[in-house]
Amino acid sequence: MEKTAGKPIRCRAAICRAAGEPMVIEEVTVEPPQPHEARIRIICTSLCHSDIVFWKMKDPPSVFPKILGHEAIGVVESVGENVSQVSEGDRVIPVFLADCEECVDCKSRKSNLCSKHPFKVSPWTQRYATSRFKDLKGETIHHFLYVSSFSEFTVVDIVNLVKVDPAVPPNRACLLSCGVSTGVGAAWKKAKVEAGSTVAIFGLGSIGLAVAEGARLCGAARIIGIDVNHEKFEVGKKFGVTDFVNAKNCGDKPVSQVIIEMTNGGADYCFECVGLASLVHEAYASCRKGWGKTIVLGVDQPTSQLNLRSVEVLNSGKILTGALFGGLNAKSDVPILLKRYMDKELRLDEFITHEVKFKDINKAFDLLVEGKSLRCVIWMDNE
């Protein structure tokens, strides 16, 4: 690594050049890290539904060409100036949501929304309106969610890096880079699910199942999964799902009415994990008056809107809130979840349904689009 520090590196990356088209593996140049940045050698990465959303998206904030990927684990190859938190050889997880540990929000346990580095979907690095990637023709290749892990090397700002214990298997640790942390964190940190409570989860993909796992760890007595695929119930049972509602088989009743009848008044906590405004409405209608909480986790289209009547909000006494990264403060909370996995409390193994080599990255996309995988781990050949 000493031989490459401070110099551009040539490596392979899976480039997305047009919406919905297969990734093209090409050689790229990765520039050295600037101040407050580190260059990371990716060990393995996993495919998240958000990658699919922005792979298909034709209009801004989606831009092309770009390197997708934001769930990963890697090793620090080199660091720029003013970096003391990590050093060469450290194992790290990149996280799309900044944790500067300095601003009012990051210091507070009430928020994980950094005010020094607020989240936005940017095609650049965190601090600079520039890219560290170029193809061999000299064309700029854009970043994705400050991570771009579908590359053998990438450059990430220090506020988006979490140093982790190298004893944790990399194909498990990478899952906490986004999806599983978001779901578990939403139940644990954002909703603060209480023991003995009832939880309703709309959508049993990876994030919904991670919510179930978080609710199980919190001691929820009843975890209701709502999906259009009945096979999801069997999968959900591994993560604590106790009941299942097939949204296609509710007859003339809206799903919310079915949930209200099942729970004698509504669930204590509802989680929307698909990314549809209509499901946010159903989740909100499904939670109990007076104390019910609805947590929005799904990524919808940027133009989607909710339409709630003001008097309904006033009279119901319910809470509706979003939870980027599940409300977790990455640098303090992710190591806790990794420890809980190593202590055999948190279930991660069950999320991994497939593993492929980097050259087969398009197979990972096919599996997720076809609903055949929860998490597909993509191994770089350099490991």
Side-chain angles (χ1 to χ4, degrees):
M1 292 185 184
E2 291 180 359
K3 295 180 180 179
T4 55
K7 303 174 184 177
I9 287 179
R10 279 178 61 167
C11 69
R12 295 178 306 152
I15 300 177
C16 178
R17 291 197 171 272
E21 292 189 0
M23 304 293 107
V24 180
I25 295 182
E26 303 179 20
E27 278 204 346
V28 297
T29 299
V30 185
E31 295 176 1
Q34 295 298 307
H36 309 285
E37 294 179 342
R39 190 161 57 188
I40 311 301
R41 176 177 63 82
I42 298 295
I43 298 172
C44 61
T45 180
S46 49
L47 184 62
C48 174
H49 188 260
S50 296
D51 294 306
I52 300 293
V53 170
F54 283 92
W55 170 58
K56 292 180 177 180
M57 192 181 296
K58 297 179 180 179
D59 301 317
S62 184
V63 295
F64 301 93
K66 62 189 169 192
I67 298 173
L68 292 166
H70 62 287
E71 282 191 354
I73 186 169
V75 177
V76 176
E77 174 268 339
S78 61
V79 299
E81 296 177 3
N82 304 320
V83 173
S84 58
Q85 299 94 328
V86 299
S87 57
E88 180 186 312
D90 285 343
R91 189 164 289 194
V92 291
I93 289 176
V95 176
F96 72 92
L97 197 64
D99 184 357
C100 76
E101 301 181 291
E102 297 173 350
C103 72
V104 172
D105 295 277
C106 290
K107 286 182 176 180
S108 169
R109 302 309 293 170
K110 299 176 183 178
S111 172
N112 68 340
L113 302 178
C114 181
S115 53
K116 287 183 68 176
H117 306 282
F119 174 73
K120 59 183 177 180
V121 180
S122 166
W124 311 117
T125 54
Q126 178 70 260
R127 272 170 227 259
Y128 312 96
T130 55
S131 171
R132 302 289 168 268
F133 300 112
K134 282 185 170 59
D135 67 13
L136 295 189
K137 295 179 181 178
E139 181 184 8
T140 295
I141 308 297
H142 298 95
H143 290 247
F144 178 64
L145 297 184
Y146 307 121
V147 176
S148 291
S149 58
F150 294 165
S151 173
E152 291 177 316
F153 286 84
T154 188
V155 175
V156 182
D157 196 284
I158 190 62
V159 299
N160 297 97
L161 287 174
V162 179
K163 185 177 175 179
V164 298
D165 184 352
V168 183
N171 58 344
R172 272 42 175 184
C174 72
L175 302 184
L176 294 179
S177 190
C178 180
V180 175
S181 287
T182 294
V184 173
W188 166 41
K189 292 292 294 292
K190 193 67 176 183
K192 295 180 172 59
V193 168
E194 296 178 325
S197 60
T198 298
V199 171
I201 303 168
F202 288 75
L204 291 182
S206 291
I207 289 182
L209 293 171
V211 171
E213 175 66 4
R216 182 191 69 82
L217 288 172
C218 291
R222 196 174 186 188
I223 303 173
I224 305 167
I226 302 102
D227 206 288
V228 295
N229 182 353
H230 191 78
E231 294 178 2
K232 296 288 185 71
F233 188 24
E234 290 304 312
V235 178
K237 288 177 182 178
K238 299 177 183 178
F239 302 99
V241 175
T242 59
D243 302 80
F244 183 81
V245 173
N246 190 322
K248 288 184 175 179
N249 299 334
C250 293
D252 296 331
K253 295 180 181 179
V255 172
S256 55
Q257 185 177 340
V258 174
I259 299 298
I260 289 169
E261 292 173 358
M262 287 177 66
T263 57
N264 192 28
D268 301 306
Y269 308 94
C270 292
F271 297 84
E272 195 283 329
C273 304
V274 177
L276 289 173
S278 59
L279 283 185
V280 175
H281 284 282
E282 282 298 302
Y284 185 71
S286 300
C287 71
R288 189 172 187 86
K289 69 180 187 302
W291 67 67
K293 291 182 181 179
T294 297
I295 315 296
V296 179
L297 299 174
V299 179
D300 203 347
Q301 295 298 315
T303 55
S304 294
Q305 294 185 348
L306 299 176
N307 184 18
L308 295 172
R309 292 184 298 121
S310 178
V311 68
E312 177 188 3
V313 175
L314 172 65
N315 292 345
S316 70
K318 303 175 184 180
I319 294 173
L320 173 63
T321 184
L324 273 178
F325 199 54
L328 296 182
N329 296 90
K331 296 192 179 186
S332 55
D333 291 329
V334 169
I336 293 173
L337 293 181
L338 286 169
K339 185 178 185 304
R340 296 194 76 173
Y341 168 72
M342 296 299 281
D343 289 344
K344 303 186 184 306
E345 297 174 15
L346 174 66
R347 294 169 182 165
L348 291 179
D349 300 355
E350 293 82 356
F351 283 97
I352 301 173
T353 54
H354 299 81
E355 299 188 60
V356 300
K357 293 183 177 180
F358 186 44
K359 66 182 179 66
D360 298 318
I361 189 170
N362 287 306
K363 182 179 179 181
F365 276 75
D366 292 341
L367 288 166
L368 189 55
V369 169
E370 294 167 6
K372 295 179 180 178
S373 74
L374 289 177
R375 276 298 184 268
C376 181
V377 174
I378 301 157
W379 286 93
M380 297 296 176
D381 296 336
N382 57 29
E383 179 63 14

